[in-house]
Amino acid sequence: MPQITYREAIRHALAEELERDPNVVVMGEEVAQFNGAYKVTEGLLAKFGPKRIVDTPISEAGFIGLGVGASMLGIRPVMELMFWSFYSVAFDQILNNAANVRYMSGGLINCPIVIRGPANGGTNVGATHSHTPENVLANHPGVKVVVPSTPYDAKGLLKSAIRDNDPVMFLENTILYGDKGEVPAEEYLVPLGLADVKRKGTDLSIVTYGRSVIHSLVAAEVLHKEHGISAEVVDLRTIRPLDIDTVLQSVAKTHRVLIVEEQKPFASVGSQLSYMIQREAFDELDAPIHRVTTVDAPAIYSPPIEIEQLPNPNRVLKAALDLLA
Amino acid sequence: MSKTPSAKTANPAAAPVLPPNDPHLAPVNLKLKTEERIELFRTMMRIRRFEERALRAYQAKKIGGFLHLYIGQESVAVGCCSLMGKHDHVITAYRDHGHAIAVGMGMNELMAELYGKATGCSKGKGGSMHYFAPDRNFWGGHGIVGGQVPLGTGLAYALKYRGLKGAAMAFMGDGAVNQGAVHEAYNLAALWDLPVIFVIENNGYSMGTSQERSSAGELPKRAAGYDMAWGQCDGSNVYEVRALMDKFLTRAREESKPAVVEIDTYRYRGHSVADPDNTYRAKAEIEEYRRTKDPIQVVQNMLIADGVLTPEGVEQIDQAARAESDAAAEFAEASPFPTVEDIQKDVYWEADHPAQRASKGRLFFD
Ligand SMILES: Cc1ncc(C[n+]2csc(CCOP(=O)(O)OP(=O)(O)O)c2C)c(N)n1
Ligand SMILES: [Mg+2]
C-alpha cells in the first residue's frame, strides 16, 4: 500500500469527492491561490478551477453562514477554517443555524456541509489559536464530530463526511499533517461512528482520539516493553456519533479504563464517556476511570511548558501505572 | 524640510480628511523639538533592530509559534503612539511588536516573552501575538483577526463614561475590516459618539490575499455608511501619519467623535516567519517599496537634509539599537522558563488572591 501523509490523505479525499460530485465546493481563507495555510488544498485550484476552489475574505461568520445556506439549496460545501480556533467567530452560524435548522423545520431541511481544519495545541501558538472544541460541538444535537488520528482514517472519514447529509465538523491536527501512513490506492470509505482498536491488549483500555492516539500508542509500547503490561488502545475516530459498543467491549476485556484527550477536563468528551462506561458497565470496572487531559487553563505559549500542559507519552504512561498500581 | 508629496484621491461623497499638503507644516509637527524628532527616528530604528534580532532568534529555534514582523510599517505605530496623552489608549492585533515598543515597553521583557520566559511581559504565557502593558495604556496584542476592534471601542466607552478626556486607537489590518465584529463596533462607536479612532494599517495583503481579492470598495469609505468621519494617508512618512492622526485624536478627545483612518503601508517580510512569501507578490514590489518609501530611510533622509542628524549620528542610533536588541536576547536567553505550576496561575483573579476570595466551590478540574 502506498504511504502518504495525513495532509495528502485529506487532499486526496477532497479531490476524489470534487471529482465525483459537481456540487462539492471547497471554500475558505487562503485555500485556493495560496494553496492553503497548511497546504492541505495544494494543487486543487489548478485542477478544479476557481468555481470549485474559492478563497474567502477573513469573514468566518459570513462565509460559514453562506456555506450553511448554500448547503440547504443543494451545494455540498467543504469549508476550511484555517484553525478551528476561529470557529467562535462563526459560532452562531454553526450552532444556531447548521445544528438547528433541520429540527426547527420539522425535518424539511438538511445541511450537508463539512467544516474542516486543524484543532490542536502543541505548536506554541497560544491561547487564542489552540482550542479543541470537539466537546463543545458535540454538545449540540444536529452536528456530527470527527477527529481522525491517521492518514487512512482521515481520508476515509472525510469522504464519508462529505457524502453525509448532516453538518459534519472535521477536526484535524497541524502536528499530524506530516505523519505518514498506509492508504490504499483504491477507493474506500470509513463510516462515521465506528471506533477502531489501534492496539489490542488485555490489562487496560486506553480510550482516546486524535493526536492523543499517537501518544497512547507510544505509551502502550513502553508499558509492554518495560512493565509487561498489555494496553489496548481504542481510537474513537468519531465523537458524535459515538461508538460506545467498541469501548464497552474493550472494558469487558480489560476492566480498567484510562481516557486520554487533548481537551480541557470540564464537560469534556471523556466526561461523557466516563458517565456512559460507569452507567453501562459498572460491574466490569475493577478501578475508577482515570484520565489524562490538557491541564485546566488557557493554552500557555512557553514552548517547553506547553508540552507538559498537553497529553504526552510520559503523562499517559504515568497515569496508566497509577491506574494499575 | 524635504517633502514627500501625497497624491490623494478626494472623495466627494463623504468628504475625507486629508493630511495638509505639507504635513511638516502641521502644528503637531512644527512644535516638535529637535530631540523629539530624533526620538521618533530612534524608536523606529529600535523596532526594526529588535525584530531583526527576534527573527534570528526564531531561526535559531529560540522562539516557537508565529512571529509576525512589522518591518516596513514602523512609522505607523510610532507616528500614532507619539501622539498619546495620559488618557489615550492603544489596542492592536497580533503584529504587535512595533506598538509595544512605541508605547515604551522595554526590549528585555518583549524578547523574553518571545523566548517563552518567566521574565517576559506576559510571563511567557502570551507569546509574540499577545503582548500587553496596561500601565502604558497598551491593551494588546490579539490573535483573532478583528477581535480587538470591539475591545478598543469599549476602551473608548470607558473613557467617556468616566469623563476622561482621552481617545482609544484600535489598530487593524486591511484584511480585518471584513470581520463582522468590526462593523458592529463601527456602528456602536458612531451611534454612541465614542472617542475611538479605528486605524486600518493597510499593508496591501492579508496573508497571501491582496486587498483587491478580499475587499469590495475602498476600506475607509465604509465609515461613511455609519456617518463617521474618515481619512487616509501615506504611512511611509511619520510626519504625515502624525498630521492626520492629530486631527482625529483631538476631535475625539474634545468632541468624543469616532473616525476611521486608513494608513497605507507595506510589510517586507512574509505574513509570519513561516510564510515563504513567494507566491502572491513579486520580489520587485518589495524592493521598490524599500527603495522609495522605507519609513526609516524617509525620516533619516529628512533629518540629515535638515541638519538635525549627521550620518554619524544615524550610525550611532543604529548601533545603539542593535546593542540594545542583542542585550535583550542575552537577557531572554539567561532568564528562566515558567514552571508547570505556573500553568494554572493567572487564570482567575480569585485564585491569584485567595485571601480575598468570595466564591465557593472548585475552580479547577483534572
Ligand atoms: C478570526 C481569524 N481568522 C483568521 C485568522 C488567521 N489570520 C491571521 S492574520 C491573517 C491575515 C490578516 O491580515 P490583515 O488584517 O491585513 O493584517 P496583517 O497581517 O496584514 O497585519 C489571517 C487570515 C485569525 N487569526 N483569526
Ligand atoms: Mg494586511
Side-chain angles (χ1 to χ4, degrees):
Chain A
M1 253 193 272
Q3 289 256 345
I4 63 170
T5 63
Y6 186 99
R7 173 188 285 112
E8 287 164 337
I10 294 166
R11 184 187 306 147
H12 293 179
L14 291 170
E16 287 176 20
E17 295 307 298
L18 280 156
E19 198 80 65
R20 187 187 61 80
D21 181 349
N23 284 321
V24 172
V25 173
V26 170
M27 206 181 265
E29 291 158 22
E30 308 291 351
V31 296
Q33 285 198 22
F34 196 68
N35 280 316
Y38 285 96
K39 304 299 165 219
V40 170
T41 53
E42 188 155 32
L44 295 183
L45 174 66
K47 183 145 190 235
F48 295 98
K51 185 178 176 193
R52 312 286 304 283
I53 314 295
V54 185
D55 278 326
T56 68
I58 311 169
S59 306
E60 285 84 0
F63 75 76
I64 294 285
L66 177 150
V68 173
S71 78
M72 303 192 307
L73 202 61
I75 308 299
R76 288 189 174 258
V78 184
M79 317 298 286
E80 176 170 306
L81 283 170
M82 193 179 287
F83 283 80
W84 258 102
S85 280
F86 311 150
Y87 84 117
S88 45
V89 177
F91 208 48
D92 177 58
Q93 298 302 327
I94 298 170
L95 302 178
N96 268 322
N97 292 343
N100 287 349
V101 74
R102 175 162 183 79
Y103 191 75
M104 296 187 302
S105 67
L108 295 176
I109 298 174
N110 64 304
C111 295
I113 188 175
V114 174
I115 305 176
R116 52 156 290 273
N120 57 281
T123 60
N124 328 125
V125 289
T128 54
H129 282 58
S130 305
H131 293 285
T132 51
E134 58 272 15
N135 58 332
V136 177
L137 295 163
N139 189 250
H140 292 79
V143 300
K144 294 175 176 168
V145 184
V146 180
V147 192
S149 67
T150 65
Y152 178 90
D153 291 346
K155 182 176 179 193
L157 286 163
L158 183 55
K159 284 170 65 80
S160 294
I162 295 171
R163 298 179 192 193
D164 201 279
N165 286 329
D166 290 313
V168 182
M169 312 295 124
F170 197 88
L171 282 64
E172 303 159 10
N173 190 307
T174 54
I175 298 177
L176 297 182
Y177 278 146
D179 279 10
K180 282 196 164 178
E182 290 197 335
V183 172
E186 58 278 10
E187 183 171 51
Y188 68 97
L189 296 171
V190 174
L192 306 191
L194 191 62
D196 183 41
V197 177
K198 287 279 192 300
R199 179 184 175 118
K200 286 205 181 314
T202 50
D203 299 332
L204 161 74
S205 300
I206 303 180
V207 184
T208 181
Y209 60 90
R211 182 169 170 238
S212 297
V213 171
I214 312 301
H215 294 320
S216 300
L217 288 169
V218 173
E221 185 61 19
V222 178
L223 283 169
H224 166 69
K225 284 219 168 109
E226 295 178 13
H227 303 275
I229 292 166
S230 161
E232 177 147 303
V233 177
V234 180
D235 180 357
L236 295 174
R237 300 199 289 196
T238 305
I239 306 304
R240 188 171 184 145
L242 182 69
D243 180 5
I244 190 66
D245 293 343
T246 297
V247 174
L248 294 175
Q249 275 160 25
S250 182
V251 176
K253 190 164 64 167
T254 66
H255 312 292
R256 283 182 170 81
V257 182
L258 173 65
I259 294 167
V260 183
E261 51 183 348
E262 186 182 325
Q263 172 96 145
K264 309 284 166 46
F266 196 99
S268 71
V269 171
S271 311
Q272 176 64 22
L273 273 173
S274 306
Y275 166 74
M276 292 168 82
I277 294 168
Q278 65 82 31
R279 184 76 182 83
E280 296 183 38
F282 189 71
D283 292 337
E284 297 286 0
L285 288 173
D286 286 349
I289 297 168
H290 285 215
R291 66 177 172 167
V292 174
T293 67
T294 301
V295 173
D296 196 17
I300 195 166
Y301 158 69
S302 188
I305 311 304
E306 191 192 11
I307 293 172
E308 296 308 319
Q309 183 171 15
L310 299 177
N312 60 45
N314 272 334
R315 289 185 62 208
V316 176
L317 185 64
K318 189 171 169 302
L321 293 173
D322 277 357
L323 172 53
L324 288 157
Chain B
M1 277 185 190
S2 46
K3 283 167 218 164
T4 319
S6 53
K8 287 293 146 231
T9 44
N11 167 34
V17 178
L18 298 174
N21 279 342
D22 187 344
H24 306 271
L25 300 178
V28 70
N29 289 327
L30 281 177
K31 76 174 186 206
L32 282 174
K33 299 191 192 75
T34 300
E35 185 44 44
E36 289 170 329
R37 292 183 65 194
I38 295 173
E39 195 54 32
L40 290 173
F41 174 69
R42 190 194 324 274
T43 308
M44 287 165 59
M45 185 70 92
R46 288 175 60 241
I47 294 171
R48 175 130 344 154
R49 297 303 176 227
F50 173 84
E51 288 204 306
E52 287 170 348
R53 186 65 191 82
L55 174 59
R56 291 208 299 283
Y58 191 92
Q59 286 159 343
K61 303 219 177 328
K62 300 285 180 189
I63 299 173
F66 296 132
L67 189 70
H68 304 93
L69 298 177
Y70 197 60
I71 296 178
Q73 304 185 206
E74 295 90 343
S75 47
V76 181
V78 171
C80 293
C81 296
S82 67
L83 298 166
M84 284 171 74
K86 183 164 182 267
H87 295 304
D88 295 329
H89 294 257
V90 169
I91 193 164
T92 189
Y94 45 83
R95 200 179 297 285
D96 59 354
H97 310 154
H99 306 77
I101 291 177
V103 300
M105 291 178 78
M107 282 194 194
N108 280 2
E109 53 174 335
L110 297 178
M111 194 68 86
E113 187 61 30
L114 299 181
Y115 278 60
K117 297 298 179 82
T119 52
C121 52
S122 298
K123 303 179 195 162
K125 293 184 165 179
S128 158
M129 300 192 285
H130 309 122
Y131 281 171
F132 297 88
D135 59 334
R136 297 182 184 278
N137 294 2
F138 178 54
W139 300 93
H142 293 265
I144 296 296
V145 169
Q148 76 282 8
V149 178
L151 296 187
T153 312
L155 295 171
Y157 175 86
L159 286 170
K160 185 172 184 182
Y161 185 92
R162 294 173 59 186
L164 300 170
K165 271 208 165 188
M169 289 185 269
F171 290 86
M172 71 189 100
D174 49 291
V177 300
N178 297 314
Q179 283 291 30
V182 171
H183 288 267
E184 296 177 28
Y186 280 6
N187 183 50
L188 287 166
L191 188 67
W192 293 347
D193 285 330
L194 301 177
V196 53
I197 316 296
F198 300 104
V199 184
I200 303 167
E201 294 194 58
N202 188 345
N203 60 15
Y205 297 88
S206 46
M207 287 191 78
T209 305
S210 63
Q211 185 196 326
E212 307 80 74
R213 293 208 302 118
S214 64
S215 291
E218 286 180 49
L219 309 186
K221 272 193 196 169
R222 293 179 183 185
Y226 300 98
D227 247 344
M228 236 188 314
W230 59 277
Q232 191 179 25
C233 77
D234 175 1
S236 64
N237 180 347
V238 71
Y239 297 109
E240 193 165 334
V241 172
R242 281 171 49 87
L244 182 63
M245 284 299 290
D246 178 58
K247 291 190 176 185
F248 286 115
L249 283 167
T250 304
R251 184 167 160 274
R253 293 183 201 114
E254 301 299 328
E255 302 167 44
S256 195
K257 288 283 188 198
V260 175
V261 174
E262 180 191 62
I263 302 179
D264 295 328
T265 181
Y266 198 75
R267 70 164 155 77
Y268 297 173
R269 303 286 175 160
H271 166 71
S272 73
V273 175
D275 166 19
D277 187 18
N278 52 15
T279 52
Y280 55 88
R281 58 177 182 179
K283 285 279 171 283
E285 180 182 300
I286 308 172
E287 280 319 308
E288 175 65 10
Y289 194 92
R290 200 196 295 269
R291 202 172 55 73
T292 60
K293 292 199 146 194
D294 180 83
I296 295 185
Q297 199 63 49
V298 166
V299 190
Q300 179 177 319
N301 293 347
M302 287 189 287
L303 293 179
I304 291 177
D306 293 349
V308 171
L309 272 181
T310 59
E312 296 72 46
V314 166
E315 186 58 23
Q316 269 176 15
I317 289 172
D318 190 355
Q319 288 306 331
R322 288 172 195 268
E324 189 187 0
S325 309
D326 286 340
E330 279 165 33
F331 170 82
E333 182 72 46
S335 294
F337 283 108
T339 63
V340 172
E341 291 66 46
D342 290 333
I343 293 174
Q344 289 188 308
K345 292 180 189 152
D346 307 310
V347 180
Y348 287 103
W349 186 89
E350 275 201 327
D352 300 333
H353 300 83
Q356 295 163 70
R357 183 163 176 196
S359 73
K360 311 283 181 208
R362 204 189 270 201
L363 284 172
F364 291 96
F365 300 86
D366 57 16

